[in-house]
Amino acid sequence: MTIENTTSLIIALKGTTNIEDDGHIIRFGDKANLDTFRRLAADKLGIIGDISDIQFLNTEGKLLDSIDAIRNQQVAYIDVKQHIKETIPGPASLPFVGSLYELLPNITEGLHRQFEIHGPLVEVNILGRKVINTNDPAIAEVLVKESEYFTKKVSTSSLNEIKAFGGQGLFTTDTDEMDWKLAHKLLMPAFSPRAIKVYQKEMGIITQQTIKILEQFAPTEPVEIIDWTTNLTFETIGRIGFGYEFNLLSSRDQPPNEFIDAMGYCLKQALQRMQQAQFMKRLPLEANRKFDRSVKLMHDVVGSVIAERKNSSDASNMDKDLLGFMLNARDEHNLGLSDENIRDQVTTFLIAGHDTTANTLAWTLYELARHPDIQNKVLQEIADNHITWDTLPSSEQISNLKYIHQVIKEVLRLYPPVRVLTKYCKEDCIVPGGYKIKAGANCNVNVYSLHHNEAIYPDNYRFDPDRWTPEEEQKRSRFAWLPFSTGPRGCIGMAFALQEAKTVLAMLLNRFEFRYEGPEIQYDPKMATTKPMDLKMTIHPRENFPETGAEVPPPKTADDMENKKTTASLPVLSPTASAAASKIKLPPITFLFGTQTGTAQDYANQLAKQAKNFGFENVTLCEMDKWKVIKDGQFVSDDQSKRLDKELVIICTATYNGQPPDSAEQFNKFLDQKLLKEGHGSLLKGLSFAVFGLGNKNWRTYQAFPIKVINSLEELGADQFFTSGEGDVDKDMDSVFNEWCAHFWTHTLDNYGLAASESNSVVPAAASTVSNQKTAVKVKFIQPSDTEAWNVAEKNCYGEPKAMLQANYELQKDNSPRSTRHIEIDISKLKSSVEGDDDDGRLLYHAGDHLEVMPENDPSAVETVALRFGWILDSVFQIDQDTISDVSPRSLAANIKGPCTIRNMLRYYADITSPPSRAVLGCFSAQLKLVAPETAATFEKLLMPDTNQQDLYPEFIKKYRTLMDLQVAYPQVNQLDLGQFLAAVPVIQPRRYSIASSPLVHPQSVHLTVGVVDDVVNEKHYFGLASHFLKQGTEGHMLRASLKSSKNTFSLPKDPRVPLILIAAGTGFAPFRGFLQERKAHMEGGQEVGKVVLFFGCRRNDQDYIYEKELQEYVQDGVLSKLHVAFSRSIEESPKKYVQHEILSNAAEVWHMLYPREGLPAAVYICGSGAMSRDVRRTFCTMATSFGMASDNEEAEKVIDQLMDDKRYLCDVWG
């Protein structure tokens, strides 16, 4: 459409189907040409790059090749020569792990391979995180230029963790922030060529100091060269940056500098924090506390230097150094940097200013040692410019080192300090090549792959400084070399770094010859920058330095160069890197477990099996209490290197009410004892660890013991190899463990250059599926003629029944729809839970202890399962113990010893009523692949989230809640043979109940208060295994049970005069019944007892007010001073529905008991659900603020924490 010499036209991308939403109107005049139209189209449609690639099509898809042809259209469709691509290519993505297996054994190398396969833009998915990557200069140019389409966004990159100590420095601030804009504008002149000349003298002085240190090493003494290049560059940026001496060059045995240690720790922790959940940073971990201390130390040091300068005579000296410049620089609006921002800039310069140059110097010395012909040219250039180590060179001399400049650029190409530049896509756009990138995408310029792009750098692994002659550079895009990035976000200190590197190299090479004769050096994958690993060189006095004007040996012939291609060192990630990596000596790896129910042991077992499959040879699996270090008293290793991972220790441990599990009590004592010793900070040095903690979030002590383990190991000198994981037993813990393992193994395999695959997975559930296909538990059926075996089998019931049920009656009233049972059990034959008492001791238990009961499956359920499998209940089998090495410790096969009947296996061992776990489904899937592949495929999809991170398992187990449900819905399961069933199905776990009696009243028996679980789903009843079993029990029934101590976490005060505030709901009253019995016994024995107040919550007075008569009697007898009962569903309306309401109504009484004017202060005991416990705690926090003990909720929490530390606020809660 044309109006007054202006043409209006609708344009849209080729393939658009909705012109109304996706079309754009553009207008152009008579004088417009094709390029004008291309620019307008590019602007409207977000097409970036060379506009000559843009093409115009009519509605029939035919090319419009003139402006007149375009004017005659109402709608024009836009394409590019390479065609617009809606999908970015990349490797196939598997469920949950994504493209991971295509990238390992080294992710940087793996990405390099993907560019060779898929082209210049590749999308990869690593454990659910999708990233678009490029190795192409044209696309890199688009990404690194700040624009309306791409920017550097700290919050979406790994730099977000460095911001904690880098603050608002240039490196860790978004481009659109005012702090960045002002600092960038003000600081640019400080790094101008004129300014850098001022720094030349100090660079030379520091190099001379380094030379004096290096002169102290004998020529036969291997020197870790990166240590000294790091000391040199740190000292340089410290002195030139803000006039601060780190004293790193005073002697070869200089002790570590606390500032540098703090910075190193923070940088390492930043890498850890990138991998962990955000809430982990708020946990009371020693790592977090040390991180905070380190940040404070750095800020304090820099802050004090700034304050000292501002109060000195040099306060207004802008030319003294960078600090002087920052203090005095102002923009056109007279705006300057705040002290806090200057502090952040100094910290940023220290981080970025030392590492890059230190690495480059080390790599350069390494390459020159391996290329004597190139070194000869370097030496000749130094001689021709009259540079010697004992005279400070001028900036003019250094700027004349053109060939050394080429050498450094080639080193930075081969070994880019930062391997990836991260960018964020702000708006949909089309980049060169026609690739469409969506807003919100995370994009990377893969600098390593860009610098090793064969199309740009032929024979790219060859070290060849001649690539950097002016003539050669002109042939390439300037975006083909990005060690310092470029554009507004390019490294502001590039010229500084290059001048420093040339100064140091010229002076060092004049004084010394650096030799290296070892294997090819790899970079350290555990470091954020490309740092050489184990580069030890010998340093010799220079004896072959050339004369000025001498003739350099002729260059190599073509034959020599061809030979050089095949023999030259291949840097970092060469085509032979995998082979080199496979030769890496893997450290010993130990898997420790602390377990109550076998879950932590199972997890450790799965990890150990994976480790063996990945190639670790020295693998140990044992209980925490049997760790060899406990016996040795400290970590001992034959490895004398400085590496922090001489051995890896992976710990899976549970916690019970904040205490260690039974199999970790000696480990806990070891930690406590060693932490008291002087100099304990190096006892575990050289050991690296990771922890996966198991717990229940309903307990406030959730993860308490795993956290203690982490803190203690770090304090004893061990290094955290990977961020800790945590599983909540009240949720889908296997899923959380699988996810943590996937990240742990990805980190580990990438560190050590090990591969993984679909058949050797980083996800335990998938790995065990493959393992289970190979697992064949052998079972032998025994003939009835073997009477001895049959007699043993009939008695094989997973423990000896030594407890006897004495009484069992209903506590709820007749009209109640629910059931709570009072159960009395004879325990006279059980082992005492009281520490120090033997079997004939005085007490069998304490009030507040627990009874652990092994439940039994209902006989009808046992028969149902057996019939569906076609098993004879009374047949006897025995497991071949030599065939169970690969089964789970939680499986039936691992727990059934000796002959056993099918009936007993199903009744006493098999957990057939719990929801089928992912592990069970994984076993079933593996074992059904041949006989029922469709069912196997269905189960396999449930093991972990799919490629879109959708997890089908939670919905599945809502529908199929038990093994019997699974048998009905998937009858193919019944094709499993007995051996497969034993390998897959878990063993029944014991159930723990609070004892509702006192040994002073019932010394030979315990009472239990059991709420019977009866869930109704789709009109089908699902009973709780243990509660239903106990409900069905009759007098005289023998039980398998054991007494368990509360380990003083829920015991009565030793002094009966201490007042008690008891808070419970429902069956949570059980331990308090024992407490009341005990207090009454004390009273009857003539002892003085303290006041007892009970807050008790029920639903309805006429239904579930359990033990009502007993409680009234305790009030009448004076055992209970006050009884407050809250009914949450009472027919009579009341504002006091829950125990916390009753507590608030009687707050003054409660607080006066806690903090009395005279007499002993009370202890608070809470027993019930986790939700109730949290509500009660909030109520106590409210009282703390209301009665002036705290000014806010944070202080109130500390008041309660102190009560807990004093054993005056104790909880026993459940889910």
Side-chain angles (χ1 to χ4, degrees), residues 238-291:
R239 290 194 211 170
I240 294 175
F242 60 112
Y244 184 82
E245 291 200 30
F246 289 102
N247 294 316
L248 300 172
L249 300 171
S250 55
S251 81
R252 62 173 283 180
D253 300 317
Q254 180 69 26
N257 180 279
E258 61 177 8
F259 185 99
I260 294 176
D261 284 350
M263 177 172 286
Y265 185 79
C266 287
L267 286 169
K268 185 176 179 190
Q269 277 298 304
L271 287 174
Q272 291 272 2
R273 289 174 167 221
M274 293 168 200
Q275 302 161 342
Q276 68 187 22
Q278 290 300 302
F279 73 88
M280 295 292 292
K281 292 185 286 188
R282 298 187 290 274
L283 292 178
L285 297 173
E286 173 58 21
N288 293 337
R289 289 193 287 265
K290 186 175 178 181
F291 183 85

Side-chain angles (χ1 to χ4, degrees), residues 2 172 232 283 346 362 418 504 583 670 757 878 906 921 926 935 1093 1164 1167 1203:
T2 303
T172 50
L232 184 155
L283 292 178
V346 169
V418 178
V504 172
K583 298 174 185 175
F670 168 81
S757 64
Q878 187 163 5
L906 289 174
L921 293 171
T935 303
V1093 175
V1164 180
C1167 188
L1203 287 172

Side-chain angles (χ1 to χ4, degrees), residues 466-714:
D466 289 336
R467 300 183 200 271
W468 301 100
T469 63
E471 299 76 23
E472 287 297 315
E473 280 204 72
Q474 287 297 319
K475 298 175 183 178
R476 295 188 297 267
S477 163
R478 68 185 181 93
F479 296 93
W481 186 76
L482 295 174
F484 298 97
S485 190
T486 191
R489 296 310 303 235
C491 176
I492 197 172
M494 180 175 76
F496 182 101
L498 291 173
Q499 178 170 304
E500 180 186 8
K502 288 191 285 185
T503 300
V504 172
L505 287 169
M507 296 176 71
L508 287 184
L509 291 170
N510 173 257
R511 178 69 183 88
F512 302 113
E513 179 184 358
F514 294 84
R515 297 178 187 171
Y516 179 75
E517 297 175 353
E520 294 173 7
I521 292 296
Q522 302 291 309
Y523 82 94
D524 188 346
K526 294 185 285 297
M527 305 303 290
T529 57
T530 309
K531 194 176 293 291
M533 185 166 59
D534 297 328
L535 173 56
K536 293 181 179 177
M537 306 183 79
T538 53
I539 304 173
H540 306 258
R542 173 68 69 186
E543 296 177 349
N544 61 344
F545 196 75
E547 297 292 331
T548 302
E551 188 175 335
V552 179
K556 300 291 185 181
T557 64
D559 289 341
D560 291 332
M561 293 301 290
E562 186 60 35
N563 183 56
K564 183 177 171 183
K565 288 182 185 179
T566 59
T567 61
S569 165
L570 303 179
V572 191
L573 297 174
S574 68
T576 61
S578 294
S582 67
K583 298 174 185 175
I584 293 176
K585 184 180 178 183
L586 297 174
I589 187 167
T590 297
F591 297 92
L592 303 176
F593 58 87
T595 189
Q596 289 292 131
T597 63
T599 305
Q601 180 182 358
D602 186 21
Y603 287 171
N605 186 59
Q606 291 180 52
L607 284 164
K609 285 196 286 187
Q610 285 182 283
K612 291 175 184 176
N613 291 338
F614 288 133
F616 285 88
E617 295 179 355
N618 191 344
V619 179
T620 302
L621 172 70
C622 67
E623 292 180 1
M624 293 173 73
D625 282 350
K626 295 179 180 177
W627 188 30
K628 63 178 181 178
V629 172
I630 296 177
K631 181 181 177 182
D632 296 340
Q634 65 181 50
F635 173 62
V636 180
S637 173
D638 295 333
D639 188 340
Q640 299 303 307
S641 71
K642 293 192 293 184
R643 63 188 290 175
L644 298 174
D645 58 345
K646 296 174 185 177
E647 182 170 337
L648 298 181
V649 175
I650 316 304
I651 301 172
C652 298
T653 181
T655 187
Y656 183 73
N657 209 359
Q659 299 299 307
D662 294 344
S663 55
E665 289 184 344
Q666 295 306 311
F667 185 98
N668 185 52
K669 288 178 183 176
F670 168 81
L671 297 180
D672 290 341
Q673 291 167 1
K674 295 302 178 185
L675 288 171
L676 295 174
K677 288 197 171 184
E678 191 174 341
H680 61 255
S682 60
L683 285 175
L684 300 182
K685 195 168 184 180
L687 185 148
S688 289
F689 73 93
V691 174
F692 186 86
L694 297 77
N696 190 319
K697 271 191 176 176
N698 287 300
W699 292 70
R700 187 165 178 82
T701 52
Y702 173 67
Q703 297 294 324
F705 181 63
I707 287 172
K708 176 183 178 178
V709 170
I710 295 165
N711 287 340
S712 300
L713 292 179
E714 286 209 318

